[in-house]
Amino acid sequence: MVRAVIAIHGGAGAIARASMSAEKEQHYIQALSAIVTSGQTILAAGGSALDAVTEAVRLLEECPLFNAGKGAVFTHQGTHELDASVMDGRTLDAGAVAGVRRVRNPVLAARAVLENSPHVMLIGEGAEAFAFEQGLEQVATDFFSTQARWQQLQRALSAEQMVLDHDGAAQTSGDPIDPENKFGTVGAVAVDLHGNLAAATSTGGMTNKQTGRVGDSPIIGAGCYANNANVAVSCTGTGEVFMRSLAAYDIAALMEYGGLSLKEACDRVVMEKIRVLGGSGGAIAVDREGNVALPFNSEGMYRGYGYVGDEPSVGIYREE
Ligand code: GLY
């Protein structure tokens, strides 16, 4: 029997220890640990990987520390547009939503698309109408707003730059616009006691993005992929580069066609191929044997994982 495990991420970027207060660090550690524990509890009870990753990402969306759901970044126009996806490695069924503004938990909308629609991706008002028909919670468009994100937008507007969801330092003009706040996509991957794999990803995108911009997070094969034959992957980082690289699927393909191990495939994509195209970020991945990889080419990545029966293991910086 496979050793069931869940891994999560809360974004990658220039997360320097020096710019993080001890109090804030504790908030991140506690949030990551609690969410890994929730996933472990589902898996320990014989729950599916699909349920574990959906619930982990829902909890990440509910936590304002992370750029997904409550606490999502602002668009250039001062709105929020949220993207999410989920994939079941057992059936290769997938669901995704993009550009939703009033669905409290975009990952639940993605899951509803997977389970109750003939489609894979719904966008904008059509996605919202579908989610509400499915009984999902509707919120006011400012439900997702926080003061920290609003200030982040004002800094980006005055610098006339778009801040990547996770890493202001990746911008071309040198200094990060927002060195004290590094935010990113969230995601989860898992293998359950039955050997089934699943992945889920959710994001507010990037601060000051053009309305209508969609990144890798809701694109199956780019920011999210799961296949029982090999691996489940959720990505975080420079969305456009992860899309052009089909990063999540590329990890699976390197394993399937190239015979690479989980670690080799993850390193090839995250540490080499994404970098060559000028991208930064990371991925979390679990293979069908229950091996875990958490690679990132940035300074840090909010991350955690936990095998059933073990204590959660969480980290933020590179040297952990
Ligand atoms: N990686 C998330 C985004 O670029 O939207």
Side-chain angles (χ1 to χ4, degrees):
M1 193 186 273
V2 185
R3 203 153 169 235
V5 62
I6 183 162
I8 65 170
H9 71 76
I15 308 164
R17 199 189 284 273
S19 63
M20 177 84 81
S21 73
E23 190 188 4
K24 198 162 186 188
E25 188 177 281
Q26 269 315 302
H27 287 157
Y28 278 106
I29 299 287
Q30 281 164 8
L32 292 166
S33 298
I35 294 168
V36 170
T37 302
S38 300
Q40 289 173 294
T41 304
I42 291 170
L43 295 174
S48 69
L50 190 60
D51 281 349
V53 298
T54 305
E55 177 60 4
V57 170
R58 188 191 70 78
L59 292 169
L60 286 157
E61 288 176 343
E62 289 290 308
C63 179
L65 291 172
F66 304 108
N67 172 23
K70 178 85 183 161
V73 298
F74 284 90
T75 65
H76 180 72
Q77 288 76 7
T79 58
H80 304 284
E81 293 185 352
L82 312 176
D83 309 327
S85 59
V86 59
M87 186 160 185
D88 183 351
R90 186 175 65 86
T91 57
L92 302 188
D93 284 334
V97 294
V100 295
R101 297 176 169 208
R102 295 176 300 149
V103 181
R104 177 170 180 148
N105 292 111
V107 72
L108 297 184
R111 177 77 183 262
V113 172
L114 181 156
E115 287 181 332
N116 300 326
S117 104
H119 307 299
V120 168
M121 179 184 257
L122 297 175
I123 64 164
E125 288 177 6
E128 293 183 341
F130 173 78
F132 303 144
E133 272 167 28
Q134 294 290 310
L136 296 183
E137 186 174 344
Q138 180 171 342
V139 290
T141 51
D142 64 357
F143 168 82
F144 305 107
S145 304
T146 60
Q147 193 57 31
R149 299 298 192 207
W150 181 250
Q151 286 161 1
Q152 193 179 19
L153 175 64
Q154 302 318 306
R155 283 192 288 273
L157 287 171
S158 46
E160 292 184 357
Q161 283 193 337
M162 198 156 50
V163 183
L164 294 171
D165 59 343
H166 57 291
D167 185 1
Q171 299 301 301
T172 50
S173 70
D175 285 348
I177 292 170
D178 190 6
E180 74 276 28
N181 293 312
K182 310 302 173 193
F183 304 115
T185 305
V186 307
V189 293
V191 58
D192 62 31
L193 291 170
H194 313 288
N196 293 315
L197 296 166
T201 306
S202 180
T203 192
M206 61 210 310
T207 297
N208 201 19
K209 68 182 180 182
Q210 168 67 46
T211 297
R213 178 265 184 189
V214 176
D216 61 311
S217 302
I219 307 295
I220 298 302
C224 180
Y225 188 73
N227 186 340
N228 271 14
N230 39 57
V231 69
V233 184
S234 172
C235 299
T236 172
T238 323
E240 281 70 9
V241 174
F242 281 75
M243 290 162 90
R244 289 160 57 209
S245 310
L246 277 178
Y249 179 72
D250 200 17
I251 290 171
L254 286 166
M255 293 175 71
E256 183 168 355
Y257 305 124
L260 272 64
S261 69
L262 178 74
K263 183 176 179 342
E264 289 167 342
C266 286
D267 285 349
R268 179 78 60 84
V269 172
V270 174
M271 312 309 278
E272 296 175 28
K273 297 176 87 171
I274 292 287
R275 267 187 168 155
V276 167
L277 290 178
S280 75
I284 53 171
V286 170
D287 72 13
R288 64 183 185 163
E289 270 104 41
N291 298 304
V292 174
L294 312 166
F296 52 96
N297 63 31
S298 48
E299 229 174 295
M301 180 168 80
Y302 299 111
R303 60 197 187 275
Y305 70 93
Y307 287 91
V308 165
D310 283 0
E311 287 297 311
S313 169
V314 301
I316 300 177
Y317 313 106
R318 173 158 296 289
E319 66 280 8
E320 291 174 307

